[in-house]
Amino acid sequence: MGEEVKSQAKPHVLVLPFPIQGHINPLLQFSKRLISKNVAVTLLTTSSTHTTILRRASSSLSGRASLPLAFVPLDDGFEEGAPTGATAEYLAMFKNKVSLSLSDLISSMDPKPAAVVYDSCLPWALDVARRFGVAGASFFTQSSVVNALYHHFIEGRFREFQDEVVLPAMPVLKGGDLPVFLYDRSICPPLHDLICSQFCNVDEAQFFLVNSFEELEVEILEWMENVWPVKNIGPTVPSMYLDKRLGDEKDYGLSLFNPKVDECLTWLDTKPPDSVVYVSFGSLAVLKDDQMNELASGLKQTGHFFLWVVRETESSKLSSSYLEEISEKGLIVTWSPQLQVLAHKSVGCFVTHCGWNSTLEALSLGVPMVGMPQYSDQPTNAKFIEDVWKVGVRAKADKEGFVTKDEVVRCVGELMEGEKSRDVRRNAEKWRESAKEAVSEGGSSDRNIDEFVAKLWQMK
Ligand code: UDP
C-alpha cells in the first residue's frame, strides 16, 4: 500500500468493487468524492484486472498529486484476463479467494481501516470486515426502486412470471418491467442468486449507500427509509459534468476497455448540433445475431448520423458490406469515451440498454434516451425513463425481446424530430439540473456524503 496513504491521519477506507466496468465506475467516482473530503482511499482491484487497471488508469487518476488513490490487488485466482462469465463456479471461487485475500490485507494493516465500502454484490466482504471490528458500507450500484423490488421478491410479495405487480411507492409494473432475474430465474440462476444475496446481511452493515439521488426517487426513498437507513450519494458521474468541484476529469479515469477517444470526438466535431444518434449497450450485453442485424438496418434506415459502440467480441456480427454501406452516416467503434460523447453538442439522443450507469449519465447530461433493455435491472430502468422521468421512449419488443427495425426508426424519430421530442428535452434538462444540485455543495447527496465522512472520522 502507498506510504502516503498509510501515514496520513485521516480516516482510511478500503473500496471493493466487483471488477466489471459498470461497478468499478461508480465506486471509483465515489472514492474520488471521499478523497476530496479528506478521506484516504485504497481501491481494491483483483489480480486478474490489476495490470489492465494500472495500464489504463488515465492521468486524471494516477498522475495528479491532488488525487492520492492507492490500488491494491486481491488475489482472485487468475492472472490477467480472468473469465468474466457469471458461472456459479467462477463466483464461488471469486468469493473464496478474494475474501481470503481481503482478510489477509486487513489483518496486516495497522491501524485498521475505518471502513470497507464494498459492492453490495459482495456481501461476504462485510463478514470479513466485521471479523476485524471494521465497519461495513454496502454500496448499491442499482436504483432504489430496483433495490425495493429485490427486497419485495425476497420477502415473497411477488413471484416469478407474475403479469403485474402492485407494490408501495412505485407505479404498477408489468412482468416485462421487472428485473429480468426476478421475472424468470432460469435465465441465469447464478446471477439471480448473486443479486438476491445483496440483502442477506445488509441489516448488519453500518451504512447503506445507493448510487442515486433523492429527487429522482423521492417516493420510494420515503418508503425505504422505514426498512433501511438508505443514503443516496449519486449520481456518481465525473464532477466536470455536474458541480465541477473535482477539477476537469472528463471520464472516470479507469477503463477495462480501450476507448477510441480521438476517433469519436473528431468525427462528432464534424456533425451539426443534435444530429447524431449515439448507440451503446454497455460492457456486457450480447445481442443475438438477428437482433444485431435488425438494429443495424434500423439505424441505417433512420437516415441520421449514428455513432455505435460494438465491442470487439460483438463485431463479427456485422458484415463488411454493411460497414461500407453506412460509412457516410455511421461510425462504429469498439469502445467510446461515453461521457465525452454524451456531452458533445452533436449528440441528439442515446439508444441504450439502460444499464444504471448509462441511465444516470444520460440523465446527468440531459440526453434523451431510447431504451432497448436487455437483461438484469434494465427493463425497470427503461420503464422509469419513459413513464416516470419522461426522458425518453422505450422500444417495444416481442415476447422474445426482439425489437424490429421499424421500431428503432420510430423511437429514434420520436426523439430526434417527433412531437414528443420537445417535452422530453425539457424534462431531460430538468433532471440534469436536479442531478447537479444533488451533488453540489449542500445538495442532498453531498450532505449524505458529508455525514458518511463525519462518521468515518468518529470511527477512525
Ligand atoms: N461505457 C463507456 N464506453 C462505452 C460504453 C460504456 O465508457 O463505449 C461506460 C459507461 O459510461 C458506463 C459503463 O461503461 O459508465 C457501463 O455501465 P452500465 O451500468 O451502463 O452498463 P453495464 O456495462 O454494467 O451493462
Side-chain angles (χ1 to χ4, degrees):
M1 179 174 334
E3 284 308 309
E4 189 181 8
V5 172
K6 258 207 266 180
S7 64
Q8 285 161 349
K10 47 181 122 171
H12 178 199
V13 297
L14 301 179
V15 174
L16 176 63
F18 191 65
I20 52 177
Q21 197 67 58
H23 288 227
I24 291 173
N25 287 354
L27 279 136
L28 171 64
Q29 197 58 30
F30 181 59
S31 301
K32 294 193 212 167
R33 286 272 173 208
L34 293 180
I35 291 168
S36 77
K37 291 177 184 286
N38 210 20
V39 172
V41 177
T42 297
L43 190 85
L44 302 175
T45 62
T46 52
S47 52
S48 61
T49 54
H50 191 66
T51 315
T52 309
I53 283 176
L54 288 193
R55 196 180 334 117
R56 299 255 172 81
S58 76
S59 55
S60 68
L61 266 186
S62 49
R64 284 172 41 175
S66 58
L67 197 57
L69 181 66
F71 294 94
V72 169
L74 299 181
D75 179 19
D76 63 0
F78 290 94
E79 296 302 319
E80 193 68 4
T84 48
T87 62
E89 293 73 28
Y90 171 70
L91 293 170
M93 174 160 149
F94 185 89
K95 173 181 170 180
N96 288 341
K97 292 270 182 192
V98 177
S99 58
L100 205 62
S101 189
L102 176 63
S103 177
D104 289 346
L105 173 70
I106 301 179
S107 135
S108 71
M109 291 172 75
D110 182 21
K112 300 284 178 243
V116 176
V117 177
Y118 62 94
D119 193 319
S120 59
C121 290
L122 311 175
W124 38 263
L126 176 64
D127 303 332
V128 176
R130 280 162 59 85
R131 235 180 283 140
F132 295 95
V134 172
S138 190
F139 186 107
F140 288 79
T141 59
Q142 68 240 347
S143 74
S144 284
V145 162
V146 168
N147 283 335
L149 284 167
Y150 291 144
H151 171 72
H152 288 308
F153 183 82
I154 293 165
E155 296 287 308
R157 294 193 192 112
F158 68 96
R159 300 176 310 276
E160 274 184 279
F161 305 114
Q162 207 160 312
D163 288 340
E164 192 173 279
V165 299
V166 183
L167 295 163
M170 61 178 89
V172 174
L173 298 177
K174 304 274 179 211
D177 300 329
L178 294 172
V180 169
F181 308 124
L182 297 190
Y183 185 69
D184 181 0
R185 180 179 186 273
S186 71
I187 286 173
C188 186
L191 280 185
H192 170 99
D193 296 348
L194 181 81
I195 272 159
C196 291
S197 78
Q198 295 177 94
F199 303 91
C200 66
N201 59 2
V202 73
D203 293 340
E204 291 154 32
Q206 275 82 352
F207 304 98
F208 190 116
L209 308 174
V210 181
N211 181 19
S212 185
F213 57 104
E214 200 175 305
E215 295 72 8
L216 190 67
E217 300 197 275
V218 74
E219 287 92 3
I220 198 70
L221 197 67
E222 274 170 18
W223 175 85
M224 209 176 234
E225 274 165 354
N226 299 317
V227 185
W228 295 304
V230 179
K231 295 290 171 202
N232 283 298
I233 50 72
T236 58
V237 167
S239 87
M240 192 190 99
Y241 303 101
L242 295 168
D243 57 312
K244 303 190 187 338
R245 286 189 294 162
L246 302 188
D248 58 355
E249 37 153 31
K250 292 196 179 71
D251 52 35
Y252 294 95
L254 202 166
S255 181
L256 297 174
F257 298 82
N258 188 11
K260 306 290 182 224
V261 181
D262 291 342
E263 199 179 343
C264 291
L265 299 181
T266 309
W267 186 84
L268 288 172
D269 282 346
T270 64
K271 306 293 176 273
D274 295 329
S275 67
V276 176
V277 180
Y278 172 58
V279 188
S280 164
F281 289 81
S283 62
L284 302 168
V286 175
L287 268 60
K288 292 197 178 121
D289 289 13
D290 55 350
Q291 180 65 85
M292 193 81 167
N293 286 324
E294 193 77 3
L295 175 60
S297 306
L299 291 172
K300 186 174 145 205
Q301 209 171 301
T302 65
H304 291 289
F305 293 115
F306 62 92
L307 167 53
W308 185 7
V309 178
V310 179
R311 295 190 318 276
E312 232 153 73
T313 46
E314 293 281 278
S315 58
S316 63
K317 295 176 186 169
L318 290 179
S319 68
S320 51
S321 59
Y322 176 77
L323 298 179
E324 270 164 40
E325 281 160 33
I326 55 98
S327 62
E328 296 279 302
K329 283 282 187 181
L331 175 67
I332 295 179
V333 294
T334 49
W335 195 251
S336 81
Q338 180 156 303
L339 288 154
Q340 293 182 69
V341 169
L342 290 174
H344 199 285
K345 62 180 182 337
S346 69
V347 170
C349 78
F350 179 17
V351 177
T352 171
H353 70 313
C354 306
W356 185 234
N357 294 290
S358 295
T359 303
L360 282 178
E361 289 162 9
L363 278 164
S364 300
L365 281 119
V367 181
M369 287 173 264
V370 172
M372 262 186 77
Q374 300 298 305
Y375 81 142
S376 194
D377 56 345
Q378 297 152 19
T380 316
N381 299 339
K383 160 79 181 169
F384 276 68
I385 286 168
E386 182 173 64
D387 289 344
V388 178
W389 305 316
K390 301 187 189 310
V391 287
V393 291
R394 176 179 181 174
K396 289 190 181 58
D398 69 12
K399 277 207 170 101
E400 265 66 57
F402 185 80
V403 174
T404 63
K405 59 176 182 293
D406 291 345
E407 180 63 2
V408 172
V409 174
R410 179 190 75 81
C411 290
V412 168
E414 286 249 23
L415 297 189
M416 294 296 271
E417 64 252 337
E419 267 177 39
K420 222 174 175 171
S421 153
R422 201 166 334 134
D423 287 348
V424 164
R425 276 172 209 284
R426 201 176 307 121
N427 290 330
E429 202 45 49
K430 187 190 91 183
W431 286 118
R432 177 196 178 121
E433 281 309 311
S434 184
K436 197 193 238 175
E437 268 170 37
V439 294
S440 294
E441 192 163 0
S444 54
S445 292
D446 187 58
R447 290 197 308 274
N448 286 338
I449 300 173
D450 282 345
E451 199 181 299
F452 177 60
V453 171
K455 293 208 170 126
L456 291 177
W457 277 91
Q458 285 163 15
M459 288 181 323
K460 168 171 99 75

